[in-house]
Amino acid sequence: IIVKLYSTNFDLPIYSDNFDIAMRSFAHLSGNFDVSPNRNFGLSLLQSPFLLLVNSNNFLDYSNIIRLFGIGVSTTSIFVMYLLARKFFNEKYSIIAASLFAFSSQLNYSAGLGETESLFILSLMCSLYFILRQTNDRLIFLSFIFAGIAYTIRPMGMIMIIILLIIYLIHKILISLLQIHLLQKSIFYYFLILMRLKNIFLQLSIQ
């Protein structure tokens, strides 16, 4: 958090495309949810409730709330990165992966600009984390929810939805093949047991 705060300039209001996102957040608070054909509404919609924390006539105050929201999202991503890395590596390498993510200068800089990048990355990581767990359908449902959020933030989030569908189908196919394999093994062992019992009965009948 300290690195992100140090990388952020709180003395100037947000500008450019980020200013447009901020204006759309204010529009959402007024009940305007019109979707622009060239810009997704995910970030503006999700950050709009936090603007209610401030009652000011100075746009800089709202700009800093948006910056703090981005920093909070980016900081949360560090912990999610650790959990995601633990799916593939041990604790040591997972900490290294999370640390590299935490000290990325580009990510720390963009976190304080009110851009879509921080929330988009967090949504993608959460989506991937839940699809990799696949302990029950509820977690898989959460995975697709986060992928949907990613899509509302950036159109390229659709790629994540396609990837999730592929992973889900492969997982289902593998489970089906495993179940068929177990069924075949069960039938084979059942057949062996029957043959063994048949031999025993034959021996008893001869005696």
Side-chain angles (χ1 to χ4, degrees), residues 166-195:
I166 294 173
I167 294 175
Y168 180 73
L169 291 175
I170 291 176
H171 181 259
K172 285 296 184 181
I173 291 172
L174 290 176
I175 288 180
S176 298
L177 291 176
L178 179 60
Q179 290 174 343
I180 292 174
H181 179 66
L182 291 175
L183 179 61
Q184 290 173 339
K185 288 181 66 175
S186 299
I187 294 174
F188 176 73
Y189 288 132
Y190 180 68
F191 176 76
L192 290 179
I193 292 172
L194 286 178
M195 294 301 295

Side-chain angles (χ1 to χ4, degrees), residues 16-22 24 34-44 114-116 151-155:
S16 188
D17 290 343
N18 308 328
F19 175 80
D20 181 53
I21 296 174
R24 295 188 66 190
D34 292 338
V35 179
S36 173
N38 59 350
R39 186 179 298 279
N40 287 24
F41 63 91
L43 177 59
S44 59
E115 295 181 345
T116 59
Y151 173 68
T152 66
I153 298 170
R154 289 186 179 180

Side-chain angles (χ1 to χ4, degrees), residues 131-157:
I131 196 66
L132 289 176
R133 291 191 65 180
Q134 290 201 19
T135 54
N136 56 59
D137 290 338
R138 184 177 300 176
L139 294 181
I140 296 175
F141 183 67
L142 280 175
S143 178
F144 280 97
I145 287 179
F146 279 108
I149 293 174
Y151 173 68
T152 66
I153 298 170
R154 289 186 179 180
M156 61 190 306

